[in-house]
Amino acid sequence: MTASDAYRKPKCRYCEAPLGQPFLELGDMPLANSYVAPADRDQEEFTCPLSLVLCERCWLVQLSHVVPPDLMFAHYLYVSSTTQTFRDHFAAYAQSVAQKLTSVQNPLAVDIGSNDGLLLSCYKKAGMRAVGVDPAKNLSEAANKQGLTTINAYFGKDSVEQILREHGPAHAISGNNVFAHIDDIHDVLRNVTRLLDPKGLFVIEFPYLAVMLDEMLFDMIYHEHLSYIGVTPLAFVLEKFGLEIFDINLVPSHGGSLRVFIQKKNGPHAVTDAPARYMEKEKKEGFLGTARYNEFAAKVMQVRDDFRTVALTAKARGQRLAGYGAPAKCSTLVNFYGLGAEEIAYVVDDNPLKQNLLVPGMKIPIVPSARLNEDPTDFVVIFAWNFAREILKKIGVLEERGVKFLLPLPVPGAGGANRFEIRAKQADLSQTR
């Protein structure tokens, strides 16, 4: 049995309608965060089709195939605390949650997929009790050593029972860039309603489907990221569990994410006009139909061809490219674009856990940022474009030496041959795209 047969998702995870054929196929891909040790360079990697399919009943966009979570999350090398951008982001996040719980004494916040405990530490600084749940043993151990209470498990019946027994019901439950990573979302929502205090709130954050389509941010497609969420399908599945959206904020992380505040039906928070406004916008702009998605798929193929032309033209001229940042989006792009170590000499990354490993699939070396000075290239491709401002504060001086900076996706509003090029002074563009 092939991965294509074994891991195909037959039904929509939100409404259980049968799923049709994908509207976008990026090919068989390795797991984006399964970095390769140099000694294993010649070992065969696990691969699985990476394709998007649209549910035509509830309009959820989702992967056509689902990889077993232990292959991706049991040992995890992405950590939230690496960038100042995310440290600031989660500090503000914790404050936004705390402000909605001012009437609660000694509130308990539970973070699903708590990673290295960055948000837990922010919750504590905001005056809340905090408990994390994360399946990665290495990250859970690191968080607990810092005094950040973390249960090494998936969020489910057993972990919820442990939290209720040891800490009581939660006044805030959060899931940041994790709600979209979960296959059995019904099980998660059942357990959220069980753990959540009647006056509490459930807050989730995820890259917004509309932004992905409008800004061509297809690099956020990877096997961990199972669902590409709009407000319309989200409201549908929440209603099944007696939950309602009461407010939505658009935040700049990952190019444009939604922070969605949820409560039990008839909860203490007044429902703003935001949920209805977003759903009306999605209806008007074609997100509840197929044409918009087919148009997106055609544009994705064109962007791939255009960026390959830039990279291969530089190579033909004897010029060299390096990359900055080895997040999951880097793996998606280099594999989809078909650019390996012959086209991109190395990728630098500030996360020491990734250094001295290879990008999955294309086996590009990941090295410390000092390599940019030791072994300069003509171009630097900023794969971690959502941190471009922070990155170019570090390496913008290279521009004075003739180095050009490229984004792996078109710069918003740019056209022509230079539409991937960004100047150090323009780095703020990539924070909001």
Side-chain angles (χ1 to χ4, degrees):
M1 181 183 287
T2 67
S4 182
D5 296 324
Y7 305 128
R8 181 177 288 279
K9 182 77 172 175
K11 294 182 179 180
C12 172
R13 70 176 45 83
Y14 278 16
C15 74
E16 300 182 319
L19 292 174
Q21 292 302 306
F23 64 86
L24 175 64
E25 298 184 81
L26 301 184
D28 279 6
M29 292 266 190
L31 302 181
N33 280 309
S34 293
Y35 302 91
V36 178
D40 298 330
R41 177 191 296 271
D42 297 325
Q43 297 292 318
E44 185 177 356
E45 293 177 77
F46 174 91
T47 63
C48 188
L50 188 62
S51 306
L52 289 185
V53 62
L54 174 67
C55 173
E56 294 187 35
R57 179 186 292 171
C58 73
W59 305 110
L60 177 68
V61 175
Q62 54 207 288
L63 292 190
S64 62
H65 292 70
V66 177
V67 174
D70 277 351
L71 289 179
M72 299 182 284
F73 301 122
H75 184 82
Y76 206 53
L77 298 184
Y78 170 79
V79 290
S80 305
S81 299
T82 303
T83 66
Q84 185 62 46
T85 300
F86 264 169
R87 291 195 290 273
D88 294 341
H89 175 80
F90 282 119
Y93 185 112
Q95 288 295 332
S96 74
V97 172
Q99 286 166 8
K100 287 179 164 55
L101 296 173
T102 53
S103 63
V104 179
Q105 288 192 337
N106 199 23
L108 172 67
V110 173
D111 190 30
I112 302 171
S114 52
N115 197 259
D116 63 349
L118 174 58
L119 182 55
L120 299 181
S121 67
C122 295
Y123 280 146
K124 291 180 76 171
K125 288 174 185 173
M128 306 173 73
R129 294 179 292 141
V131 175
V133 183
D134 198 285
K137 190 171 186 289
N138 60 318
L139 297 180
S140 298
E141 287 178 351
N144 279 309
K145 284 178 182 176
Q146 296 178 64
L148 302 168
T149 303
T150 304
I151 299 168
N152 179 211
Y154 291 101
F155 181 81
K157 182 180 177 182
D158 291 344
S159 54
V160 164
E161 285 182 355
Q162 182 178 345
I163 294 167
L164 287 169
R165 186 172 60 250
E166 296 177 1
H167 306 278
H171 303 95
I173 303 174
S174 53
N176 305 289
N177 300 307
V178 67
F179 193 79
H181 293 188
I182 297 168
D183 185 27
D184 191 351
I185 211 68
H186 290 193
D187 183 66
V188 167
L189 292 175
R190 272 192 298 271
N191 283 293
V192 164
T193 57
R194 186 157 171 265
L195 179 60
L196 190 64
D197 184 273
K199 294 182 179 179
L201 61 88
F202 176 38
V203 55
I204 58 176
E205 195 170 287
F206 51 84
Y208 185 29
L209 170 71
V211 175
M212 181 180 88
L213 268 62
D214 289 344
E215 305 291 348
M216 297 301 298
L217 306 184
F218 56 88
D219 58 342
M220 67 175 62
I221 303 169
Y222 47 93
H223 293 108
E224 293 173 22
H225 193 175
L226 298 174
S227 300
Y228 301 78
I229 305 173
V231 176
T232 303
L234 178 61
F236 167 85
V237 75
L238 291 172
E239 188 175 12
K240 284 186 167 188
F241 294 89
L243 298 167
E244 65 181 0
I245 300 170
F246 68 86
D247 200 9
I248 301 174
N249 299 148
L250 181 65
V251 295
S253 62
H254 299 289
S257 296
L258 293 187
R259 184 179 298 163
V260 179
F261 294 91
I262 300 157
Q263 64 183 352
K264 292 182 176 179
K265 281 277 183 72
N266 304 313
H269 301 280
V271 178
T272 70
D273 68 343
R277 189 161 32 84
Y278 272 94
M279 286 190 280
E280 181 60 26
K281 182 175 184 288
E282 290 171 3
K283 184 177 180 181
K284 282 184 177 179
E285 296 185 2
F287 293 98
L288 312 187
T290 59
R292 184 73 185 269
Y293 301 98
N294 293 330
E295 179 186 346
F296 171 73
K299 288 181 178 178
V300 167
M301 299 302 169
Q302 187 62 57
V303 170
R304 176 197 61 187
D305 293 346
D306 291 350
F307 192 86
R308 275 183 55 81
T309 296
V310 170
L312 296 179
T313 299
K315 180 183 176 185
R317 290 173 177 165
Q319 296 173 310
R320 299 173 69 232
L321 281 75
Y324 202 116
K329 54 171 62 81
C330 172
S331 178
T332 292
L333 288 171
V334 297
N335 283 283
F336 179 54
Y337 288 170
L339 300 175
E342 290 188 3
E343 292 78 26
I344 300 174
Y346 56 83
V347 175
V348 305
D349 198 281
D350 297 321
N351 179 354
L353 296 177
K354 296 181 183 180
Q355 293 166 6
N356 304 312
L357 297 175
L358 307 173
V359 176
M362 286 301 176
K363 312 291 175 57
I364 303 169
I366 305 172
V367 299
S369 58
R371 179 70 71 85
L372 290 169
N373 287 313
E374 298 165 358
D375 180 21
T377 59
D378 301 282
F379 296 90
V380 175
V381 183
I382 302 177
F383 287 111
W385 53 258
N386 48 318
F387 301 117
R389 180 188 299 168
E390 188 173 332
I391 289 168
L392 287 175
K393 282 183 179 177
K394 298 178 183 177
I395 65 169
V397 66
L398 295 177
E399 199 167 62
E400 298 171 10
R401 304 177 200 170
V403 175
K404 293 183 177 180
F405 302 114
L406 302 176
L407 295 184
L409 301 171
V411 176
N418 296 325
R419 68 185 184 132
F420 298 101
E421 188 173 337
I422 186 169
R423 303 295 299 273
K425 294 177 182 177
Q426 295 175 308
D428 59 319
L429 289 177
S430 58
Q431 287 293 82
T432 56
R433 289 195 67 87

